[in-house]
């Protein structure tokens, strides 16, 4: 039995003129997965297709899924995600999952863009320079996690560890989060998706639940992200993320 009509329509939107190889080798499984990932999970969310694809791209980087990232990247570029936005998701991942894991996804993205006739390099999205990155980064960090908390983190750091606080402000937030190409609300959703998918980062997930709320996202937005990640990162990491959201941004109608 093929995927249901709603899933087939979504597949056609994401992957025009493309037939999944799994539909030929594993038709029953492919239909069940499509019904779930491309229909059932989408019934319970308000997230746009554009934002859904961005957070799924971030999550697939975090789990190291080269093949699925390439597939989703093609869908993203066919559905209003710009080359700059796609590249910014990859750049953002360097701060949260590391360059060693991310560099292969940068290569995949380059190849996909070149195949589509996109000229590289893309316009530079940096908003800081060596003289401004620390102050600008600390300001962006304060907007997300709270300026008072940033001050306390510096004050609590011992002399031999304070450089990590400078790294966070200057590199993570100044070099990366302060970039253009994605607005801060979207960057925080992508960061939340990456951290949940990464696993073992519950403290950071909690911090970025608060960060999402600080930049204008809501519990509903975080639940939407978790909902569209389930098929791609599995239940344990999704439910761990849900537990953090329930604790840090509890429902108000219980």
């Amino acid at each position: 039995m093929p995927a249901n009509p709603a899933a087939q329509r979504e597949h056609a939107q994401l992957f025009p003129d493309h037939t999944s190889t799994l539909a030929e080798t594993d038709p029953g499984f492919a239909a069940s997965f499509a019904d779930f990932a491309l229909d059932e999970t989408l019934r319970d969310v308000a997230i746009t297709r554009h934002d859904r694809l961005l957070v799924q791209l971030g999550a697939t980087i975090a789990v190291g899924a080269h093949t699925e990232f390439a597939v989703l990247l093609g869908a993203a570029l066919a559905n209003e995600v710009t080359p700059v936005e796609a590249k910014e998701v990859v750049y953002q991942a360097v701060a949260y999952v590391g360059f060693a894991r991310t560099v292969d996804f940068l290569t995949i993205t380059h190849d996909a863009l070149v195949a589509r006739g996109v000229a590289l390099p893309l316009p530079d999205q940096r908003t800081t320079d060596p003289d401004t990155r620390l102050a600008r980064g600390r300001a962006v960090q304060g907007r997300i996690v709270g300026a008072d908390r940033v001050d306390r983190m510096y004050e609590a750091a011992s002399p031999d560890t304070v450089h990590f606080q400078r790294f966070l402000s200057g590199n993570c937030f100044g070099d990366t989060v302060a970039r253009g190409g994605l607005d801060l609300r979207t960057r925080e959703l992508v960061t939340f998706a990456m951290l949940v998918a990464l696993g073992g980062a519950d403290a950071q997930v909690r911090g970025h639940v608060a960060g999402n709320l600080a930049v204008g996202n809501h519990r509903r937005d975080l639940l939407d992200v978790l909902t569209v990640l389930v098929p791609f990162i599995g239940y344990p990491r999704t439910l761990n993320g849900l537990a953090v959201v329930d604790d840090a941004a509890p429902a108000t109608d219980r």
Side-chain angles (χ1 to χ4, degrees), residues 20-30:
S20 168
T21 57
L22 285 179
E24 299 175 356
T25 61
D26 302 87
F29 170 80

Side-chain angles (χ1 to χ4, degrees), residues 137-157 165 168-169 173 188 195 201-212 214 244 248:
R138 188 160 174 170
V140 173
Q141 184 182 13
R143 182 178 172 190
I144 295 171
V145 306
D148 290 346
R149 183 180 176 195
V150 175
D151 291 343
R152 290 195 299 272
M153 289 164 63
Y154 273 87
E155 292 164 2
Q165 299 306 320
L168 277 170
S169 298
F173 289 94
E188 272 300 289
L195 291 171
D202 286 357
Q204 288 73 29
V205 172
R206 177 179 297 276
H208 283 277
V209 168
N212 270 276
V244 176

Side-chain angles (χ1 to χ4, degrees), residues 29-40:
F29 170 80
S32 295
F33 181 81
D35 286 349
F36 182 60
L38 302 182
D39 178 28
E40 187 175 359

Side-chain angles (χ1 to χ4, degrees), residues 90-168:
V90 183
Y91 293 149
Q92 182 93 355
V94 174
Y96 293 100
V97 306
F99 183 74
R101 175 166 292 188
T102 307
V103 63
D104 290 339
F105 295 95
L106 195 57
T107 300
I108 293 168
T109 305
H110 288 165
D111 291 345
L113 294 178
V114 169
R116 286 165 172 76
V118 177
L120 298 178
L122 297 177
D124 193 349
Q125 299 299 314
R126 287 178 294 179
T127 64
T128 65
D129 59 36
D131 295 326
T132 63
R133 62 194 285 272
L134 185 60
R136 166 74 170 146
R138 188 160 174 170
V140 173
Q141 184 182 13
R143 182 178 172 190
I144 295 171
V145 306
D148 290 346
R149 183 180 176 195
V150 175
D151 291 343
R152 290 195 299 272
M153 289 164 63
Y154 273 87
E155 292 164 2
S158 59
D160 60 349
T161 64
V162 71
H163 61 285
F164 289 108
Q165 299 306 320
R166 292 197 303 269
F167 292 168
L168 277 170

Side-chain angles (χ1 to χ4, degrees), residues 10-19 38 68 71-72 74-76 78-79:
E10 184 63 19
H11 187 279
Q13 176 68 37
L14 295 176
F15 314 108
D17 304 318
H18 173 74
T19 300
L38 302 182
E68 190 60 21
V71 170
L72 289 173
N79 284 274

